[in-house]
Amino acid sequence: MNSLALPLPIVRTVSALRERMEPWRAAGERIGLVPTMGALHEGHLSLTRLLRARGCDRVVATIFVNPAQFAPHEDLARYPRDEAGDAALLTAAGVDLLFAPTTQEMYPPAFSTKVTIEGVSAPLEGEARPHFFGGVATVVAKLLIQAAPDEAAFGEKDYQQLQVIRRMAIDLDLPVIIVPAPTVREADGLAMSSRNKYLSPQARMQAAALPKVLEACVAAARGGADLADAAAAGQAELEAAGFAPVDYLTFRDADTLGPPQPGRPMRLFAAAWLGPVRLIDNFAV
Ligand code: PAF
């Protein structure tokens, strides 16, 4: 484990990453990977601790704001970036190595490959942001191949992303365990997200309605309410709390993200806008 006294080693090329990791692999150490886009918060740090608690001897974090998962009209240019602050947090969390490649390193000029995951990518975020999962799958496939970790952790806050990555790892026979991590929430229940920084003080207060409404919908579903009615009531409550538009609020099968099936695990998903900020959240039913 990286000592608190030592600065976190940062590598920016795939060859330097592999060179740093080589002795760990040769020594038979178990390696965990935490892919991120930076602007780190407690949710990301919980992923590093989870991997350590699962027995990873080494934890590598990556920071790469991946242009391939942003549409032209989205917030790539103003996505929050603070590598020095992030490195300090990762150092304190005991992370061993930070891989922070340039765009040129990840996508050199002749780069032409795109990883597409069908099925689970299609609904919800796939409808709202059609470019998104292709970009995520491509960069995560690259990171998993570059670092070749034993385990990689992803938060359940982005539950559909987690399912897409699980599907990809299975379909491509990637020799990695994909570890799901519970959503970390603020005191008022709002799921931690790098994009929460964009909320105005007023919107930040309104945002707490999202998890509360979803929890009420989950309670209604558990109590036997009709799912469509519970979802419609939840959507109306979000709109009354100032969310506009609500992109979706819907119960889905927890594995396929298709319509719920009797006797199978189910989850509630929502995406909604508060001014210019789009928030997503989900809960198990
Ligand atoms: O969840 C994120 O931060 C990103 O989508 C990920 C998985 C790091 C890929 O860029």
Side-chain angles (χ1 to χ4, degrees):
M1 185 188 294
N2 181 45
S3 151
L4 293 188
L6 294 174
L8 177 69
I10 303 178
V11 290
R12 304 204 183 271
T13 63
V14 177
S15 57
L17 172 73
R18 289 183 168 146
E19 203 174 304
R20 281 272 184 174
M21 295 178 72
E22 213 306 294
W24 304 343
R25 239 185 285 282
E29 291 181 324
R30 193 163 180 79
I31 299 172
L33 187 76
V34 178
T36 82
M37 296 207 301
L40 301 182
H41 51 68
E42 184 51 33
H44 298 109
L45 303 178
S46 76
L47 302 179
T48 71
R49 286 195 294 269
L50 177 63
L51 290 179
R52 196 71 81 182
R54 287 174 52 89
C56 287
D57 305 295
R58 302 284 180 173
V59 176
V60 179
T62 75
I63 295 180
F64 179 60
V65 183
N66 174 31
Q69 66 192 76
F70 290 78
H73 65 279
E74 290 181 340
D75 54 353
L76 173 64
R78 69 181 199 112
Y79 195 85
R81 289 166 173 84
D82 176 15
E83 189 182 284
D86 289 344
L89 291 174
L90 293 172
T91 304
V95 165
D96 295 278
L97 180 63
L98 171 60
F99 177 46
T102 59
T103 302
Q104 167 79 19
E105 179 72 4
M106 293 298 271
Y107 301 120
F111 189 87
S112 318
T113 298
K114 185 162 176 190
V115 178
T116 303
I117 316 298
E118 291 176 353
V120 73
S121 284
L124 307 179
E125 290 304 287
E127 277 168 15
R129 305 176 68 200
H131 58 283
F132 179 66
F133 288 122
V136 168
T138 302
V139 82
V140 173
K142 280 175 70 76
L143 292 169
L144 292 176
I145 291 165
Q146 290 162 345
D150 298 287
E151 307 196 353
F154 296 87
E156 287 182 339
K157 153 83 173 32
D158 297 298
Y159 187 88
Q160 188 174 10
Q161 169 175 280
L162 168 67
Q163 291 302 96
V164 167
I165 291 167
R166 278 175 158 156
R167 186 74 260 155
M168 177 181 74
I170 293 168
D171 290 354
L172 297 183
D173 302 309
L174 297 177
V176 60
I177 297 172
I178 302 298
V179 179
T183 302
V184 179
R185 296 182 180 278
E186 305 284 358
D188 63 1
L190 180 66
M192 287 193 185
S193 163
S194 307
R195 288 192 169 92
N196 292 352
K197 290 192 170 94
Y198 298 152
L199 292 166
S200 67
Q202 162 75 17
R204 174 63 192 82
M205 285 195 313
Q206 289 171 278
L210 179 60
K212 287 191 180 61
V213 167
L214 294 187
E215 283 183 307
C217 290
V218 167
R222 286 189 182 141
D226 177 80
L227 297 181
D229 290 348
Q235 173 152 350
E237 279 177 49
L238 285 184
E239 286 162 358
F243 287 84
V246 177
D247 282 350
Y248 55 81
L249 189 161
T250 177
F251 293 91
R252 294 297 172 109
D253 182 284
D255 289 331
T256 65
L257 275 63
Q261 303 295 326
R264 289 188 39 78
M266 188 166 67
R267 242 178 142 90
L268 176 63
F269 296 87
W273 293 82
L274 269 179
V277 185
R278 186 170 182 274
L279 299 176
I280 62 170
D281 203 350
N282 69 90
F283 282 84
V285 177

